[in-house]
Amino acid sequence: AAEPPPPPAAAERLAFVDVHTGLGPPGVDTLLTSTDAEMGVIGRFFPEEVDGSGGLRGSLADSSAAVETSGDSSTGSGVAAGYDLTRGDSQNYCSYWLAPHLTYKDSTRACITQEFGTVPGVVVALSAIQENAAFHNGPEHLTEAYRQRYKGCFVLDQGSWKTGVVRRGVKLVMQALAFLGEKPPAALL
């Protein structure tokens, strides 16, 4: 495998949000970190989401957001369950390649994954299996049908879901810019 390019040495602070869809309940975005220690930075980076103890703050605790660390895959049941077995997540990318000179300890780096929920995980898994089987063994009309079903696991065709994704995405961008001490572009205001 090719080595990634060298990190930008001039960066003094980094805000990195890796956006995903597919895991978790619909309408809820989960902010994922690798360790409990990073949760403290996430609390400073996203003060509206996380209180001082790493729990959810205010109305966000109701249903619009969640915060998790990569749990033990043998016991976890949340969105983060199984991420502890993943190699190459965004936090590791930040730690080892993009900004190894910055740390969460001094609050110069905040790297998270934002996972927007869609359908139950078992539906995602079943759709992946079916799409793969159709791709390798099925006729074209079945391949396309299963491709569309699988795509539907990651993008819900619901206006409220799409609006929520944009609203939460923009909110996190605004908070990331504040973390970096930057003014948001006029288009986001």
Side-chain angles (χ1 to χ4, degrees):
E3 291 291 317
E12 294 177 11
R13 295 186 84 159
L14 173 71
F16 183 93
V17 180
D18 184 13
V19 180
H20 293 243
T21 62
L23 298 177
V28 176
D29 66 303
T30 303
L31 305 181
L32 303 169
T33 66
S34 292
T35 66
D36 288 333
E38 289 175 330
M39 187 62 72
V41 171
I42 300 307
R44 289 188 293 279
F45 183 41
F46 299 109
E48 295 178 39
E49 280 78 6
V50 184
D51 66 20
S53 66
L56 290 175
R57 184 185 297 280
S59 64
L60 293 169
D62 297 332
S63 66
S64 64
V67 181
E68 296 182 20
T69 59
S70 298
D72 180 355
S73 59
S74 64
T75 60
S77 61
V79 172
Y83 269 88
D84 60 311
L85 301 175
T86 304
R87 294 186 59 177
D89 65 10
S90 57
Q91 288 78 13
N92 284 330
Y93 178 71
C94 286
S95 298
Y96 298 108
W97 297 107
L98 187 59
H101 61 292
L102 303 176
T103 69
Y104 65 86
K105 291 177 184 173
D106 61 7
S107 298
T108 58
R109 181 185 77 211
C111 299
I112 64 166
T113 298
Q114 183 181 29
E115 180 80 45
F116 287 97
T118 55
V119 298
V122 68
V123 174
V124 175
L126 179 60
S127 292
I129 292 166
Q130 291 171 330
E131 189 278 334
N132 185 270
F135 177 81
H136 289 288
N137 303 309
E140 182 60 32
H141 73 282
L142 283 180
T143 301
E144 184 56 29
Y146 283 113
R147 182 180 300 129
Q148 291 303 317
R149 181 183 292 174
Y150 189 46
K151 177 182 173 187
C153 290
F154 299 97
V155 179
L156 297 182
D157 193 19
Q158 300 170 355
S160 61
W161 183 84
K162 292 175 182 178
T163 300
V165 167
V166 171
R167 181 183 52 80
R168 286 288 300 151
V170 168
K171 184 172 186 166
L172 261 60
V173 167
M174 299 292 273
Q175 290 176 306
L177 291 170
F179 173 80
L180 296 171
E182 299 289 329
K183 291 184 179 180
L188 291 179
L189 297 176

